[in-house]
Amino acid sequence: MAKAPAAAAAATPSPADSAAAPASAAPAPAPASADKPAEGQPAPAESATILGAVGTPAPAPAAGAEPPKPAEGIQPVDWRAEIAKDNKDMSAFLKRYSTPEALATAAFNSDKKLSSKIKPGLPDDATSEQRAAYLKDAGIPEALEDYVKTALSNGDGGLILGEQERAPLDGFLKMAHDKAYPPEFARMATEAYIETIGAQAAEMAEKDANTKQETLQTLQMEWKGDYKANLNAANAWLARFPAEVQQVLNTARDADGVFLLHRADVLKSISQMARELDPSSTVVVGGAGPANSQSIEARIKEIEDGQKTQEGLRAYYKDQKLQDEYKGLLAWREAHKAA
């Protein structure tokens, strides 16, 4: 019987023993079912990625709710359209890049690469030695004549412009050489000049042809039967001048760029003046050109023969222009006989 308390004591741990022995771990709770939340707990929100759960349609927004705004840092889907607008070529170009950042990076690298190839220009205060070294390094001819030949070469030993045609560009070519511009630049500028001048010349030629046709139609309507005679008179007046003066008059233009001799008012004035100075100028011999004494006599005879019949005489007295022509021809004949 004496051993019972000892056994009880042995069963009761001492304070020292309790401190030394580790506390027993609490039992782990049973895992919750993946398909069913723990009793009394709310269902967790459904996990979603940027693309959404595979096979699971995105929930429809509540009625009247505003569409969600893109997260900060995420560009709208149509950033290319916002940049390109209606430019189809630019839109196609932007499709090469997946993001605006990729576009900006490509543009930066391209600009950096291009900048590395650009050489500094020749300083305005460069010495002759510095200029010579710069021209040699850049492959620019030192002599102006060689520079022009290089810039305007047609590939066959000649130039794309003749000496006279190049005259308006001489000042530009000298400036381009003084500034040490590459010959390629001078050539491009010259070709642009040629293209512009050619277009202007073609436009002017078309305008001249239209103006001439309109003037002739106007004169035909106004002069009627005297059309050829009046033009002949104007030509006879022009033929009085030396060839150099005729060239000046034939190429003279007014402030609107119209040939003076394509203007109806000018031709009418010349024709009237020619009639007053020389009635024989209205006689048409072979279509045009100043008349001679034989053509004058032939025209006088033609008018007089027309008066030999009663019908022809009545027609003569009814035609004031014919009477004035006849009187002028007689006056011309008398004046030249006296001479």
Side-chain angles (χ1 to χ4, degrees), residues 200-214:
Q200 291 177 347
E203 182 180 355
M204 183 65 73
E206 183 179 2
K207 181 179 178 181
D208 289 341
N210 293 337
T211 304
K212 179 181 179 180
Q213 187 63 28
E214 291 172 1

Side-chain angles (χ1 to χ4, degrees), residues 153-182:
S153 173
N154 62 6
D156 295 328
L159 303 180
I160 58 177
L161 281 178
E163 186 174 348
Q164 292 184 348
E165 297 172 318
R166 199 181 71 240
L169 291 175
D170 284 344
F172 163 75
L173 292 171
K174 185 179 185 306
M175 180 276 295
H177 183 252
D178 291 343
K179 295 291 185 180
Y181 292 156

Side-chain angles (χ1 to χ4, degrees), residues 115-128:
S115 299
S116 65
K117 294 183 178 181
I118 300 177
K119 297 181 179 180
L122 181 66
D124 293 335
D125 57 351
T127 64
S128 57

Side-chain angles (χ1 to χ4, degrees), residues 127-151:
T127 64
S128 57
E129 291 79 9
Q130 289 175 329
R131 175 179 173 81
Y134 180 89
L135 295 179
K136 182 178 180 181
D137 181 60
I140 300 175
E142 188 170 359
L144 176 60
E145 182 178 356
D146 294 336
Y147 178 83
V148 173
K149 289 181 179 179
T150 301

Side-chain angles (χ1 to χ4, degrees), residues 105-118:
T105 301
F108 175 80
N109 292 335
S110 178
D111 180 76
K112 185 177 180 180
K113 182 177 180 181
L114 180 63
S115 299
S116 65
K117 294 183 178 181
I118 300 177

